[in-house]
Amino acid sequence: MSDDPPQVWDLVAEGRRHRVETTGSVSRTVRWSVDGQLVAATKSSEDTVRLEPGDRLKGEDDVRPDDQPAAVEPDVGSVTVQFTALGKPKRATWYPPAGGAAVRAALGTGGIDLEPETGSPAALREERIRQHPRRYAVLAVAGGVAKVVLPLLLGLLAVRLTVALP
């Protein structure tokens, strides 16, 4: 586990209180509770973690007693948590149950963002984005272009060096 403090997001929607908590930076543990009852918990190192009701931690060192399965209504929707490339949590999104929450969560459309805890790194990140939206957009586009162009250039360089060898 990392020394980073847990990140917490909250949302009240459709008369229910959703809370998402993440810990860790490389191997991240994500817990989602609705009205104080744990709905799902998982451990992952992916940049986008999707939670469905009933997902549970099994055989992990940090399983808490309250991570045990509970009778959960399946109509609480779905949640995704996105992380930066460096492992910092940046956004938690809840997808309402109507109209296939799992599909919308996989596509990343039609969700409601949870509010990060005041003063948390995720809240500070959102504030910086609100203050400088153009800078954020330029950085996002530049990162996307680099993910496509950089491997192409490295591949071209490798081919060029291979051909140049006697």
Side-chain angles (χ1 to χ4, degrees):
M1 294 286 290
S2 171
D3 291 337
D4 295 334
Q7 293 287 318
V8 178
W9 291 265
D10 290 302
L11 172 72
V12 176
E14 297 181 359
R16 296 186 144 177
R17 185 172 188 269
H18 298 266
R19 184 176 184 88
V20 175
E21 178 183 328
T22 65
T23 55
S25 60
V26 176
S27 181
R28 306 158 189 126
T29 303
V30 180
R31 291 177 174 83
W32 171 33
S33 59
V34 177
D35 296 332
Q37 181 182 22
L38 187 74
V39 173
T42 190
K43 193 167 197 169
S44 176
S45 59
E46 296 179 10
D47 288 341
T48 300
V49 178
R50 290 178 186 82
L51 290 170
E52 299 292 324
D55 290 346
R56 296 282 177 230
L57 288 170
K58 293 182 181 133
E60 301 291 342
D61 293 338
D62 61 348
V63 175
R64 294 192 237 165
D66 60 345
D67 285 339
Q68 299 308 314
V72 178
E73 299 174 29
D75 65 345
V76 293
S78 179
V79 165
T80 62
V81 180
Q82 295 177 346
F83 295 86
T84 65
L86 299 175
K88 302 287 185 192
K90 60 181 183 178
R91 154 184 279 165
T93 306
W94 174 71
Y95 297 90
V103 173
R104 285 186 285 117
L107 295 174
T109 60
I112 301 170
D113 286 342
L114 283 79
E115 287 292 321
E117 196 172 47
T118 305
S120 69
L124 298 175
R125 179 182 180 278
E126 282 192 8
E127 184 60 32
R128 285 192 308 269
I129 290 170
R130 285 188 189 110
Q131 290 175 353
H132 307 285
R134 289 190 179 151
R135 179 174 65 181
Y136 172 76
V138 167
L139 289 174
V141 169
V145 169
K147 285 181 184 178
V148 173
V149 173
L150 193 60
L152 292 174
L153 291 176
L154 290 175
L156 182 60
L157 180 63
V159 168
R160 180 104 172 154
L161 288 174
T162 303
V163 172
L165 292 176

